[in-house]
Amino acid sequence: SCTGQVTGPAGEAWHIAPGKLKGVVYYATYASPDFNNLSGIIRLRLGSQAERFLQVDGQCTVCHSVSANGEVLATGINWPGDSVTFDLRSGAVPPPQMVRTTDGPMFSFAALTPDGRRAFTSGGPNQASVRGQETSGPSRLVDTSNAQVISAPSLPVQYAQTPSFSPDGAHVAFNNSDVGLGHLGMMDYDGSQNPPLFSNLKEIAANSNKTLGWPSFLPDSQAIIYQEGTTITYDKGYRAAGFETSYPAELRLVEIAGGTVRPLGALNGYNPDGSVYLPAGATGDVAKAQGDDWKTFEPTVLPRPIGGYYWVMFSSRRTYGNTLAPGGTVANTADAWLEVRKKIWVAAIDVNHAGKPDPSHPAFYLPGQALKSSALRPFVALEPCQAQGASCESGVDCCDGFCRETGRAADGTPILQCVPPPPASCSNLDEACVTAADCCDPTNLCILGRCALLVPDIK
């Protein structure tokens, strides 16, 4: 110190997840220099740099969604003109089209089944609350390969906005606009039936003073993370609609069994005592706030646990370092509502989340995204799986679920490849399982058909 006195020691506790994030993030950007100041979709392979990915015919390409297996992308283009689905399996830029329809809102923000073969459309009455869907009409089940509507007489709702399938494909969650903007609904889905069967409609969260939307299931299908925002009218002419990303919102988690809602304080920027730890702090009035509080939107969850945690990605207007902040190097970013302030952030959720007051952890900025382009609806999916014989890092990469050493390179580096299920062998971390008893490590869990790490609670 200036007085010559020694202070400290000062300490910090860091929790390191023993794993590597895997997958691809597809996110939308508006008024981007990468797309001639129109909208388009950017692809960011985790661990790499973002790249311009998709803008159809030089037109606004917006309101996308991606299947959990990373094989199909659906989006609207030239809104409200067309909707398109794309085959992502080749990795080509741009990807090959599967089908185009002149029913513009059909594929906008649709929920894709985990295999990408079907879409449950985001429905709403005229002047619906979701940006880009003012004329979307009733929700329907659609074949993504030909845009044909699939008969589903058991469908118990008319307007299901921003729907999302669970990673196991057995459930779908949505804003139940049949009841009101403050209601989050869920129903079971069985696509093996003919016609497909929807059943067991129930409400899992409600707040009459807020708008609940953008649900995303955790990989265990036991909880849902969703956006809770205001429905108030406020200054600067921003829409009052609760699904817009230019209005105050935070994320919540609801346990499906029992309907307990968790506030996700750490993710949203709060210390355990309720104070805000974010750089710009809080202003108290969420309708006009230039602080960092209530600036968290549109979550999606990586479909696999990695390193003992689930990983949620979301768009946020919170400040970032000395760049996207008051006095930052990007012009005008003192205004929290400036479009370029929207960036992707990532937070860990405890695998053993049930019963915890706050199973979330502080969020971090996702490296590699385009700094001068806004980032909305970061849809995170797996890479398309690899066939036997392909190189791999773990069983997550392989369609059959097994990645093993098959030889050594000249320098002694192990050669890992996707292989058939080894006979009379237990499963390593990230390899295929039916129950936890299939895993070599007796402390592993079996989550969504893969052996998963359970990180002990750190006191």
Side-chain angles (χ1 to χ4, degrees):
S1 69
C2 295
T3 63
Q5 300 297 312
V6 175
T7 61
E12 286 187 347
W14 288 66
H15 299 172
I16 307 299
K20 173 186 175 183
L21 289 183
K22 299 175 68 66
V24 188
V25 183
Y26 299 88
Y27 65 91
T29 185
Y30 287 172
S32 169
D34 294 325
F35 294 97
N36 298 320
N37 293 320
L38 295 174
S39 64
I41 298 173
I42 291 176
R43 178 174 68 180
L44 196 168
R45 287 191 163 102
L46 294 176
S48 301
Q49 295 296 309
E51 59 179 336
R52 173 191 164 112
F53 184 65
L54 184 63
Q55 186 187 60
V56 182
D57 301 336
Q59 301 167 341
C60 287
T61 302
V62 293
C63 310
H64 69 295
S65 54
V66 184
S67 61
N69 66 359
E71 295 186 1
V72 177
L73 182 148
T75 187
I77 63 169
N78 191 28
W79 188 90
D82 301 344
S83 283
V84 191
T85 57
F86 295 90
D87 188 338
L88 302 179
R89 288 174 293 180
S90 67
V93 180
Q97 291 188 22
M98 295 171 61
V99 64
R100 182 187 293 217
T101 170
T102 56
D103 182 351
M106 174 178 281
F107 290 123
S108 296
F109 293 133
L112 298 183
T113 53
D115 61 10
R117 296 180 181 179
R118 291 173 176 173
F120 180 57
T121 67
S122 181
N126 289 341
Q127 301 305 311
S129 297
V130 183
R131 55 184 166 80
Q133 288 196 288
E134 283 79 356
T135 58
S136 56
S139 296
R140 298 164 290 177
L141 191 64
V142 181
D143 189 319
T144 57
S145 68
N146 57 23
Q148 296 300 303
V149 175
I150 299 170
S151 176
S154 61
L155 181 61
V157 294
Q158 185 175 19
Y159 299 129
Q161 294 198 67
T162 63
S164 175
F165 278 98
S166 59
D168 61 8
H171 315 283
V172 59
F174 49 91
N175 172 278
N176 189 350
S177 294
D178 289 1
V179 182
L181 293 178
H183 299 267
L184 197 70
M186 191 186 86
M187 54 190 171
D188 297 338
Y189 171 76
D190 186 350
S192 68
Q193 300 294 314
N194 188 17
L197 179 65
F198 291 92
S199 62
N200 195 28
L201 172 65
K202 62 181 179 181
E203 182 169 277
I204 55 173
N207 187 334
S208 59
N209 296 318
K210 305 288 185 180
T211 297
L212 313 184
W214 308 110
S216 184
F217 285 84
L218 297 187
D220 60 12
S221 298
Q222 299 302 307
I224 295 170
I225 293 179
Y226 64 94
Q227 176 182 312
E228 179 180 276
T230 65
T231 55
I232 59 176
T233 302
Y234 44 93
D235 65 354
K236 293 198 175 186
Y238 297 115
R239 293 179 56 184
F243 292 99
E244 184 53 80
T245 55
S246 294
Y247 79 104
E250 292 187 332
L251 302 190
R252 306 282 184 253
L253 180 147
V254 58
E255 302 284 356
I256 293 173
T260 301
V261 174
R262 309 293 180 193
L264 300 183
L267 178 154
N268 285 307
Y270 297 96
N271 293 307
D273 64 2
S275 61
V276 175
Y277 67 74
L278 300 171
T283 57
D285 182 353
V286 297
K288 301 177 181 179
Q290 288 292 330
D292 280 346
D293 57 329
W294 287 83
K295 302 280 193 308
T296 303
F297 317 97
E298 299 179 325
T300 63
V301 182
L302 185 67
R304 298 275 183 202
I306 300 290
Y309 298 93
Y310 300 134
W311 300 92
V312 57
M313 303 194 183
F314 54 91
S315 180
S316 180
R317 293 174 172 274
R318 63 186 66 182
T319 52
Y320 173 57
N322 62 357
T323 302
L324 300 176
T329 56
V330 176
N332 301 318
T333 48
D335 182 0
W337 302 107
L338 192 72
E339 188 73 13
V340 75
R341 280 278 293 268
K342 300 176 186 175
K343 287 293 180 285
I344 303 169
W345 292 73
V346 187
I349 305 293
D350 291 336
V351 166
N352 55 340
H353 54 83
K356 291 187 174 182
D358 183 6
S360 72
H361 297 265
F364 58 89
Y365 180 90
L366 179 65
Q369 58 190 300
L371 189 62
K372 294 187 179 181
S373 296
S374 62
L376 296 86
R377 188 54 167 158
F379 218 107
V380 59
L382 300 173
E383 290 270 15
C385 67
Q386 299 298 308
Q388 293 177 17
S391 61
C392 56
E393 292 182 337
S394 76
V396 171
D397 303 324
C398 303
C399 299
D400 292 324
F402 290 90
C403 176
R404 296 289 173 95
E405 181 180 334
T406 57
R408 294 270 173 166
D411 62 358
T413 303
I415 298 173
L416 300 177
Q417 292 180 303
C418 296
V419 298
S425 174
C426 58
S427 298
N428 297 321
L429 188 67
D430 293 334
E431 290 188 336
C433 58
V434 177
T435 70
D438 298 327
C439 304
C440 300
D441 185 338
T443 67
N444 282 175
L445 304 175
C446 184
I447 300 175
L448 207 63
R450 294 291 191 274
C451 292
L453 185 67
L454 176 63
V455 173
D457 289 335
I458 302 174
K459 303 299 184 182

